[in-house]
Amino acid sequence: RVKVRLEKDYKPIHDLLPQKGRILDLGCGYGFMSYMLHFAAGERDILGVDYDEEKIGVAAHCFSRDARIRFEYADVMKISLEKYDGIIMADMLHYLTPEQQTLLIEKCLLSLNENGVLLIRDGDKDLQEKHKGTELTEFFSTKLLHFNKTAETGLSFLSGSMITELADRHGFTCRRIDETKYTSNVIFVIQNQPRVS
């Protein structure tokens, strides 16, 4: 309940996604967001993927699960992606190396249907002052509370300018939503649609 309340019932994410179609939630954890997006729009077909087998086990055994929502235990760097109307990567890219981040973002861009949207929410290290708050919350999450697992390489926070450049290189529109006060966690909305001149 605390997590869902902190996330404002995932309404900001819900509002940015198509109301129907195929949605991929990479790094879904226990599936909180996947389920809320499913409840909010019943015509979405949602696949949640995470590398933590225990979390996927919990998500897959929720009594609310039906044919329109499923979960897979997998390494996001090794899965083959199909075509989706919406892809979400929320607070998971910083667990990858910078090279992996670039590869995965490009892989997701190429997996979007026409008018599809890629949502990336993560700490933007370009926002140096606010980024200290993000680093502190991740310290609590990974080192103190051990809620999330890190690889041997540790955490690699991405640069917002890198995301913008990647989107531009592939001809996608990109806008950022920054409504945080104490952290650098912003949402990048990348769309596979013609740009308005």
Side-chain angles (χ1 to χ4, degrees):
R1 283 188 284 179
V2 172
K3 172 78 171 161
V4 172
R5 190 177 308 125
L6 286 171
E7 296 286 357
K8 300 176 186 169
D9 297 322
Y10 299 100
K11 187 173 183 335
I13 301 293
H14 163 73
D15 290 341
L16 293 167
L17 287 171
Q19 299 292 304
K20 59 184 178 180
R22 302 183 73 208
I23 308 293
L24 176 64
D25 182 4
L26 292 176
C28 68
Y30 290 109
F32 300 137
M33 179 167 52
S34 297
Y35 277 109
M36 292 299 283
L37 295 173
H38 172 64
F39 298 149
E43 292 187 70
R44 290 176 176 146
D45 289 302
I46 300 175
L47 170 62
V49 176
D50 201 279
Y51 72 104
D52 189 324
E53 192 170 12
E54 181 184 325
K55 289 180 180 178
I56 285 296
V58 171
H61 289 91
C62 177
F63 69 93
S64 297
R65 192 171 65 84
D66 61 28
R68 295 201 92 134
I69 185 167
R70 61 191 181 88
F71 297 90
E72 273 183 29
Y73 160 63
D75 180 341
V76 294
M77 296 308 299
K78 295 178 181 172
I79 61 171
S80 60
L81 299 183
E82 298 173 11
K83 288 289 189 178
Y84 298 93
D85 301 293
I87 301 175
I88 311 154
M89 290 190 285
D91 306 321
M92 58 81 66
L93 281 171
H94 56 270
Y95 293 100
L96 306 176
T97 66
E99 296 78 19
Q100 290 173 320
Q101 292 170 0
T102 300
L103 287 171
L104 185 58
I105 292 170
E106 288 186 318
K107 189 175 175 180
C108 289
L109 292 176
L110 297 173
S111 299
L112 286 177
N113 285 325
E114 187 175 347
N115 294 315
V117 61
L118 169 62
L119 300 182
I120 297 174
R121 184 181 71 186
D122 220 304
D124 179 356
K125 67 181 180 184
D126 295 345
L127 305 173
Q128 295 178 7
E129 199 55 42
K130 292 201 313 184
H131 192 62
K132 293 173 186 172
T134 297
E135 289 177 325
L136 182 63
T137 61
E138 284 303 319
F139 170 79
F140 282 109
S141 174
T142 59
K143 302 290 185 201
L144 206 57
L145 302 174
H146 303 288
F147 182 75
N148 291 316
K149 301 173 186 175
T150 59
E152 292 176 13
T153 54
L155 302 177
S156 297
F157 287 97
L158 51 81
S159 160
S161 57
M162 177 272 285
I163 293 176
T164 304
E165 288 165 15
L166 267 180
D168 192 56
R169 188 184 318 152
H170 289 278
F172 288 68
T173 61
C174 180
R175 65 186 172 102
R176 60 185 293 141
I177 301 171
D178 182 356
E179 297 177 345
T180 63
K181 292 180 183 174
Y182 306 110
T183 70
S184 64
N185 296 330
V186 298
I187 298 174
F188 294 89
V189 183
I190 305 170
Q191 289 186 280
N192 183 9
Q193 64 183 22
R195 293 182 196 167
V196 177
S197 299

